[in-house]
Amino acid sequence: KQIAASVSTMVVVFPFALPLYREAGVDAHFVGHPLLDIVKVSRSREENSKRLGIRPGRVAIGLLPGSRLSEVKRILPPMLDAARRLSRERTDLQFIIPLAPGLRKADMEQLIRGAAVPVTLVENSIYDVIDSSYLVIVASGTASLETALLARPMVIVYRMSPLSYRIARLLVRVPYIGMANIIAGKKVVPELIQEEASGERIAAEAARLLSDTHYYGTVHAELELIKKKLGEPGASARAARIALGMLKRRPA
């Protein structure tokens, strides 16, 4: 109600937000998500596999540990531990990390040095890495939504400081942290938070996606539906038209 008293019109980018605002009396409009215009691959999957150095016969697994160094330092170690565990069970896996904007390559190279499992670090290729990977192990956040838009099955993980986590638990009451699950309104992809985000648990969830083709196909189909729920490309243009219409109706 406070928002309804403060704004004339609101545009929302998630479909689940529309009824919440309208029930509160807000003139809300769902315009779709701007990422639909941004998340695109540059080449075919075959071309990208060659460009990224994915060897023939290898199954690529993308590791996306976040975009802030402090975040990466908490999340990457259990991801690498999971990679080691998976590699002991299968010799055909290849792990790739796309360097997130804002991170220095030297810092990431230092973090993966001594990982005891080969990891390829690539720059400026996050969407190509996601699309070329059979599955993705990804930190909760924008990257998990980008992974969902490319319909790539994933394991969502997140770790924060114990104090921050306790505060977040007090302030936020949501059943899921991953946008794919929030948009779907159910658990489509696994989420591992704090202590659950261990190398052992991450490896177990990834191994299920690798070995259970029916489960993998179900997750892939659910992610395709999630993309459809986010509307069509052109969200920014639709939002601009709504704003322009408001300006035209404004009394002189």
Side-chain angles (χ1 to χ4, degrees):
K1 292 183 179 180
Q2 290 179 335
I3 294 177
S6 302
V7 302
S8 300
T9 301
M10 177 175 286
V11 295
V12 297
V13 298
F14 291 112
F16 58 78
L18 189 62
L20 297 177
Y21 284 114
R22 285 187 172 175
E23 287 171 9
V26 180
D27 179 26
H29 302 265
F30 172 60
V31 295
H33 202 287
L35 278 178
L36 290 166
D37 292 294
I38 299 171
V39 178
K40 298 175 182 177
V41 295
S42 61
R43 302 170 180 84
S44 71
R45 191 167 298 166
E46 293 74 16
E47 290 175 311
N48 275 324
S49 293
K50 292 180 181 178
R51 189 177 65 87
L52 296 170
I54 300 173
R55 297 188 293 279
R58 293 280 179 163
V59 177
I61 297 181
L63 304 179
L64 279 65
S67 57
R68 300 185 304 274
L69 186 59
S70 59
E71 179 181 52
V72 172
K73 286 181 176 179
R74 288 191 296 269
I75 296 172
L76 183 57
M79 282 188 177
L80 294 176
D81 183 34
R84 286 190 290 269
R85 292 170 182 270
L86 290 166
S87 293
R88 287 200 294 264
E89 300 298 323
R90 292 185 53 155
T91 60
D92 62 339
L93 302 180
Q94 185 171 348
F95 299 92
I96 305 177
I97 299 178
L99 186 67
L103 289 176
R104 296 195 315 149
K105 185 178 181 181
D107 290 333
M108 290 299 294
E109 287 176 336
Q110 184 176 0
L111 290 173
I112 64 178
R113 190 175 297 125
V117 62
V119 179
T120 303
L121 181 65
V122 298
E123 299 181 80
N124 306 317
S125 300
I126 181 170
Y127 301 145
D128 295 339
V129 168
I130 293 171
D131 188 62
S132 298
S133 298
Y134 185 76
L135 67 92
V136 176
I137 302 172
V138 57
S140 178
T142 302
S144 67
L145 179 57
E146 292 168 329
T147 303
L149 291 178
L150 290 169
R152 191 59 56 228
M154 72 189 99
V155 180
I156 296 176
V157 302
Y158 205 73
R159 280 186 168 189
M160 60 181 73
S161 71
L163 178 59
S164 296
Y165 181 67
R166 286 197 293 270
I167 294 172
R169 286 292 301 271
L170 292 173
L171 297 176
V172 182
R173 302 285 184 179
V174 291
Y176 310 109
I177 64 165
M179 287 309 307
N181 292 335
I182 293 173
I183 295 168
K186 60 182 179 180
K187 186 177 179 180
V188 172
V189 297
E191 299 180 351
L192 300 173
I193 310 169
Q194 294 302 92
E195 292 80 6
E196 289 187 344
S198 65
E200 182 178 9
R201 288 292 306 279
I202 297 170
E205 293 291 353
R208 184 184 175 195
L209 284 166
L210 287 167
S211 61
D212 189 336
T213 55
H214 176 74
Y215 172 55
Y216 183 94
T218 299
V219 173
H220 182 271
E222 290 281 2
L223 293 174
E224 291 281 9
L225 292 175
I226 288 168
K227 182 178 180 179
K228 291 179 180 179
K229 285 185 177 181
L230 287 176
E232 298 292 333
S236 297
R238 286 189 287 274
R241 285 195 292 270
I242 291 172
L244 182 60
M246 292 173 63
L247 290 173
K248 288 180 177 180
R249 293 191 300 270
R250 186 176 180 181

